[in-house]
Structure formats: structure tokens, C-alpha cells
Amino acid sequence: MSTTDKLQALLNQDLEQLRQLETLLEEEQALLGDADVRAIEPVTSRKNALLGDIRERARQKVHLLVEMGFRPDQGHPSRFIRSAGLTELYQSWEAAQSVLARCHSLNQQNSKVVAHLQSRLSRLTDIFRGSSGQQKLYGATGQQTSVGQRNILASA
């Protein structure tokens, strides 16, 4: 099997798994809307497995591109593939990049939902602790922390 054929096979696998990742991210988004933590766990496990496979293939693709004469300091690999006249390979690369961009966008949206849920949980925790009316400051990690006295309403 030639280097080009190997690279095409890796891109085909990437495209298939990126589409699976896109579906998982959409599923995750729906589950986040329902705030169903138990249902999110298996989705996260499958997502992490897919990401591991995609990362491993990325390393393999770089090695194959280097074998073909690509130098990382020359710019993006798609330019190298296009300039080499490998039209089918270029189209596969661009298709994978397109699905990857969609996955990135979905992941950012999910991240915002998670951040909102964490903020809401933090506010509820502050209410239970009796520190909801206190001033907040940002710590070194960017998280809000309450300043002042606390009136504990309940303890566990």
C-alpha cells in the first residue's frame, strides 16, 4: 500500500469517527439540557475513546506526510497536499476539517452550558451556606469566592 493510500485510509477513518463524535456531542448537548448526569457519563467515555483514536491517527498522518516530503514549517498540511496535486486526498482532508470545525463548535457550546450549570450550582451552594448576599471576588483560578461572614442555615 502506498503512502498516499495509507493517508487516504487514515482520513477515511477520521471522517467516520469525527461524524460519530459530532453525533455524541449533539447527544451530550441534549443531555446537558436535561441535566442528566448519569446519562452523560457513558457519552463522555465514548467521546474520550474517539478522541484518543483521532489523536493517534493524527500522529500517524504527520509521519506519513513527512515521508511524502512535507515539512511542518511549510504551513498547513492541506496546502502541501493540494500543491502535490492529490485532489481526492485534498477533498478528504477538507471534509474531515469541516466536520472537525463543527465538532469544535459543538464542544464550545457544551462547555458554555457546563459553565452555566456550574455557576448555578455555586449560587445554590452559597444560598445553602448562607453567604448569598456577600460580595464576591475572583481568585487566582478565575473562580468567584465569597468574602465576609457566613450565616450557616444548615449543615450536613
Side-chain angles (χ1 to χ4, degrees):
M1 183 182 265
S2 73
T3 305
T4 306
D5 292 337
K6 289 177 187 175
L7 190 55
Q8 182 65 49
L10 291 174
L11 284 170
N12 290 342
Q13 290 175 337
D14 272 353
L15 195 53
E16 180 183 326
Q17 285 196 321
L18 284 168
R19 287 183 179 137
Q20 290 174 12
L21 181 61
E22 182 179 22
T23 302
L24 280 176
L25 288 167
E26 290 168 347
E27 185 180 336
E28 180 182 57
Q29 191 172 55
L31 293 171
L32 285 170
D34 296 339
D36 187 357
V37 176
R38 290 188 185 138
I40 292 174
E41 289 177 24
V43 171
T44 302
S45 296
R46 292 193 325 246
K47 185 173 70 169
N48 288 336
L50 283 173
L51 288 171
D53 292 346
I54 291 167
R55 283 185 193 111
E56 178 56 35
R57 272 194 308 282
R59 283 194 272 295
Q60 293 172 4
K61 287 185 299 191
V62 168
H63 289 295
L64 289 173
L65 284 166
V66 168
E67 275 183 40
M68 294 170 65
F70 172 70
R71 289 191 354 240
D73 62 346
Q74 290 178 329
H76 200 269
S78 63
R79 285 184 22 195
F80 171 77
I81 293 169
R82 187 177 59 201
S83 67
L86 304 168
T87 307
E88 185 179 339
L89 197 60
Y90 177 73
Q91 290 171 348
S92 295
W93 188 279
E94 288 300 307
Q97 289 298 315
S98 175
V99 178
L100 180 62
R102 172 78 176 132
C103 288
H104 181 72
S105 174
L106 284 168
N107 195 49
Q108 284 183 322
Q109 290 171 14
N110 291 355
S111 176
K112 288 177 184 177
V113 171
V114 168
H116 175 73
L117 291 172
Q118 286 175 332
S119 174
R120 197 168 90 189
L121 180 62
S122 177
R123 284 193 307 261
L124 287 172
T125 304
D126 285 347
I127 290 169
F128 284 127
R129 288 183 181 153
S131 60
S132 63
Q134 297 176 3
Q135 293 180 346
K136 307 257 186 202
L137 293 178
Y138 289 98
T141 62
Q143 298 291 81
Q144 290 183 352
T145 57
S146 296
V147 177
Q149 298 176 348
R150 295 180 182 212
N151 299 323
I152 298 175
L153 299 176
S155 64

